[in-house]
Amino acid sequence: MHFRVEVELITGFISSGKTKFINYLLDETWIEGERILIIQCEKGNTEIMYNSANNCIHKKSLSSEEGLSINKIKSLIALYSPHRIIIEQNGTENIEGLLDLFSSKELIKLCTITTIFHMIDGATYDIFYNNMASILIPALSMSNMILINNTNSISKATISKIKNSIEKKNLDGFIIVISDINRLKEELPGDKLLDKGLLKKVRFFFKNI
Amino acid sequence: MAIQLDVFSGFLGSGKTTLIKKLIEERIYNAKAVIIENEFGEVSVDGKILKDSNLNVKELSSGCICCSLSGDFKKAIQEVIEKYSPERIIIEPSGVGKLSDILKVVKESELRSVINLNMLITIVDGLKFHLYLANFGDFYKNQIANCKTVIISRSQMLSEKKLIEISKEIVKINASANIVTTPWDKLSGSNIVDAAEQRDIILNKVNIIKKPQNIGVLRKESAGSARDVFDSWGFESPRIFNRSTLEKILPRLENTIFGNVVRAKGIVKTGQDTWIQFDYVPGEFEVKATSPDYATRICVIGTELNKGSLSQLFSD
């Protein structure tokens, strides 16, 4: 049965928490038998953690010179046959490049972007988004879920200001405030927001018959 | 007289504005100076400081990257010159811009006859250096490659070993820049300016041994005449050499494998917070406590110097 690979984009500037969020996604939303390919376009200080005995999850790192191209993605899909691809975007690159790739005629047959996540470090929001607007705002405006991270280091007033600023740039994404990126499990209402659980298992079942 | 231009480059949050503020507060900028800002960070040069110091600030568009391109900067500089007739201009460009773009504007346009490039400083956050170097594009290396002085910020949070690693990486990108590795709270604004204006003060500064030299040329202390006759080798590093290590190394300079060493001088970090200056001639050397400098700096003067062996001597 033919199905398109589901693609999740994790965007956000360096050190905003992308890799930690990917680790959380792997923990919370992976289901038995699901093949996931993680493509890292940026290498920060956190490692992707997954059980390497589990041969359903694979990771590919690209250096800052190597980019993703249509052919590269096609060959990765052919090699790993993933059900899902999680891409950790390079935060200094404009997201429009990635979106153009996936909306090309060739890739649109093979994959579909299901969710775009955007990670923000609350402590550096002002300085980064005021000074690197043309790099960061496109990803922010297209994201379905925006996580403002590290809020235990800033005041409630600042958090409100950031939320207001985001709402002007993104009209329908969910905004979630997280005080400490190391406590994602405790702080995120994963059940209600992420694609997991019974509904996903049923979908997956039908894909694999 | 040409207008002196100082450029403070470096990524967001590296400490550019903090450094400019330090220089203002210590009255380094006391002439008629104007600051051109193309970045809006957490720290700003605020009203009170400006009022106290006779400075004006011109802010460029909203800090978007495209605005650091030639057109805007050239116009801003020309406007500033017309409006304020400053003696000095300080530019704080966008943290994601290429330093070479700014230099191009100044060197290649009609501005070049009125402006003298004075300090070209790139500030690098020591804690994030490796992360940014691995993940950022061209602009990050460009800022380091095109400056005259690299200043490492947050160096008080870094070990000597880490500082040495960072210095080595920087030298790979820019072999001729001097690198300030001493924490800023230990340095005065004038230490930093001396380093950035490239005044080769090691040759002039350290002069403890006053006994007359047999060699006529060395009686004059200016660097110029010494260089006419002698060769010199310089070493700059965040490395700490404690007293006893120095006392073991310096006498070895008498060995001819290093060449004919006539003199060696230096300012050396000997401990977390202690610095000494030394002056060596074959057979004796003197050591004196001194205030911190921007890095450990040693200069060896002589003829037929074996620079490779000298490097090894001080690097091991």
Side-chain angles (χ1 to χ4, degrees):
Chain A
M1 194 174 146
H2 175 69
F3 63 91
R4 292 197 291 168
V5 180
E6 295 179 359
V7 177
E8 293 175 339
L9 296 184
I10 321 293
T11 66
F13 201 67
I14 203 170
S15 296
S16 56
K18 297 189 292 297
T19 313
K20 290 203 166 129
F21 185 70
I22 293 177
N23 286 335
Y24 167 79
L25 272 186
L26 290 178
D27 251 351
E28 288 285 305
T29 66
W30 176 74
I31 60 180
E32 185 95 26
E34 181 185 14
R35 286 188 298 276
I36 304 183
L37 170 65
I38 303 160
I39 302 178
Q40 279 194 291
C41 300
E42 188 171 272
K43 201 97 193 330
N45 288 326
T46 311
E47 283 297 316
I48 303 249
M49 309 279 241
Y50 57 97
N51 185 351
S52 45
N54 173 353
N55 54 10
C56 285
I57 302 183
H58 296 275
K59 183 182 82 169
K60 172 104 186 119
S61 287
L62 298 176
S63 70
S64 53
E65 285 92 38
E66 271 181 281
L68 270 181
S69 63
I70 295 180
N71 283 331
K72 185 114 201 156
I73 298 176
K74 277 170 77 173
S75 60
L76 286 171
I77 293 179
L79 184 56
Y80 294 104
S81 291
H83 296 100
R84 172 160 51 139
I85 297 178
I86 301 177
I87 300 183
E88 182 173 353
Q89 188 224 13
N90 183 313
T92 62
E93 281 170 14
N94 195 308
I95 198 182
E96 276 152 22
L98 265 185
L99 297 179
D100 281 343
L101 271 186
F102 284 99
S103 50
S104 66
K105 267 167 75 174
E106 290 173 80
L107 288 187
I108 227 169
K109 289 187 267 181
L110 293 176
C111 28
T112 170
I113 297 180
T114 52
T115 319
I116 304 180
F117 296 92
H118 190 75
M119 307 294 297
I120 295 176
D121 180 342
T124 51
Y125 178 80
D126 260 338
I127 184 180
F128 285 171
Y129 288 71
N130 284 327
N131 290 293
M132 294 193 285
S134 62
I135 296 176
L136 297 175
I137 307 274
L140 175 61
S141 61
M142 312 233 187
S143 294
N144 308 112
M145 184 147 101
I146 298 163
L147 291 93
I148 309 173
N149 168 16
N150 202 10
T151 54
N152 54 10
S153 63
I154 55 180
S155 69
K156 279 212 159 82
T158 312
I159 300 175
S160 283
K161 260 177 70 185
I162 297 176
K163 274 171 116 171
N164 286 335
S165 164
I166 295 174
E167 278 160 5
K168 293 201 188 106
K169 304 168 172 68
N170 182 316
L171 301 174
D172 51 12
F174 282 113
I175 300 177
I176 300 184
V177 174
I178 303 178
S179 62
D180 176 357
I181 191 80
N182 296 304
R183 293 172 39 88
L184 277 174
K185 273 220 171 75
E186 290 87 344
E187 298 198 35
L188 271 182
D191 288 347
K192 306 194 186 76
L193 283 176
L194 296 177
D195 182 18
K196 59 188 277 199
L198 189 59
L199 217 55
K200 178 166 183 181
K201 287 194 174 114
V202 170
R203 229 177 62 234
F204 191 69
F205 173 75
F206 280 107
K207 279 188 186 165
N208 282 298
I209 332 176
Chain B
M1 204 184 95
I3 301 174
Q4 302 291 73
L5 177 67
D6 297 329
V7 183
F8 291 80
S9 157
F11 186 64
L12 294 175
S14 57
K16 302 185 288 294
T17 313
T18 306
L19 182 60
I20 295 175
K21 274 176 80 168
K22 180 181 166 82
L23 297 182
I24 295 176
E25 281 161 8
E26 294 186 24
R27 305 250 169 266
I28 301 290
Y29 288 123
N30 53 15
K32 273 184 76 184
V34 180
I35 306 176
I36 300 179
E37 281 263 6
N38 192 25
E39 189 161 280
F40 311 99
E42 255 178 61
V43 176
S44 64
V45 186
D46 53 53
K48 179 170 186 308
I49 298 185
L50 292 176
K51 222 171 52 153
D52 288 345
S53 54
N54 199 26
L55 292 170
N56 289 290
V57 176
K58 175 167 177 64
E59 287 179 356
L60 287 188
S61 337
S62 51
C64 79
I65 300 133
C66 54
C67 302
S68 69
L69 290 180
S70 32
D72 253 41
F73 253 119
K74 185 161 146 214
K75 220 174 61 168
I77 297 177
Q78 286 167 328
E79 279 175 27
V80 151
I81 294 178
E82 220 182 277
K83 182 166 180 196
Y84 299 107
S85 302
E87 292 169 12
R88 302 185 77 148
I89 297 179
I90 300 141
I91 298 184
E92 186 182 336
S94 156
V96 287
K98 288 188 173 168
L99 182 53
S100 55
D101 286 344
I102 303 201
L103 296 183
K104 230 172 151 203
V105 170
V106 175
K107 287 188 197 167
E108 293 176 17
S109 67
E110 55 268 32
L111 288 175
R112 73 170 184 271
S113 51
V114 279
I115 291 199
N116 176 43
L117 278 173
N118 186 35
M119 302 200 284
L120 276 181
I121 295 175
T122 293
I123 301 180
V124 157
D125 181 338
L127 292 175
K128 300 260 161 110
F129 176 73
H130 285 107
L131 184 68
Y132 289 167
L133 191 65
N135 288 290
F136 283 173
D138 292 336
F139 72 86
Y140 195 69
K141 281 195 177 156
N142 181 297
Q143 290 172 358
I144 296 174
N146 288 285
C147 71
K148 294 199 268 182
T149 307
V150 176
I151 300 182
I152 299 183
S153 64
R154 301 179 180 86
S155 39
Q156 65 275 22
M157 301 198 213
L158 293 164
S159 65
E160 181 196 353
K161 186 162 172 262
K162 220 41 223 300
L163 284 171
I164 294 175
E165 266 175 43
I166 296 175
S167 298
K168 287 204 173 128
E169 288 292 329
I170 293 175
V171 167
K172 282 191 209 158
I173 303 170
N174 184 331
S176 56
N178 45 2
I179 306 176
V180 176
T181 45
T182 304
W184 298 5
D185 53 349
K186 304 280 192 298
L187 291 177
S188 69
S190 49
N191 281 141
I192 294 178
V193 169
D194 282 344
E197 290 184 349
Q198 320 258 275
R199 295 190 206 135
D200 192 7
I201 54 171
I202 270 290
L203 287 178
N204 290 334
K205 188 172 177 179
V206 184
N207 180 24
I208 317 170
I209 297 182
K210 297 251 184 336
K211 70 180 200 187
Q213 300 299 317
N214 291 331
I215 306 150
V217 172
L218 270 186
R219 240 186 225 122
K220 291 187 236 143
E221 283 313 321
S222 74
S225 44
R227 267 198 222 107
D228 290 338
V229 184
F230 290 99
D231 198 5
S232 69
W233 171 82
F235 169 79
E236 175 189 285
S237 161
R239 199 174 283 262
I240 297 178
F241 292 90
N242 62 36
R243 255 345 233 251
S244 62
T245 310
L246 256 189
E247 283 166 11
K248 281 198 214 105
I249 293 182
L250 290 179
R252 293 183 55 193
L253 290 173
E254 289 174 46
N255 190 323
T256 50
I257 64 165
F258 299 111
N260 303 317
V261 174
V262 189
R263 191 86 177 264
K265 305 173 162 195
I267 296 181
V268 176
K269 187 169 187 193
T270 50
Q272 255 319 95
D273 275 316
T274 51
W275 289 75
I276 53 117
Q277 59 188 34
F278 75 85
D279 193 345
Y280 160 91
V281 289
E284 76 178 86
F285 65 91
E286 281 196 19
V287 160
K288 195 165 95 164
T290 187
S291 55
D293 205 293
Y294 75 82
T296 287
R297 301 158 67 207
I298 297 176
C299 177
V300 175
I301 302 169
T303 55
E304 290 165 37
L305 293 177
N306 185 332
K307 302 191 177 181
S309 311
L310 284 169
S311 275
Q312 261 198 309
L313 176 65
F314 288 101
S315 302
D316 291 334

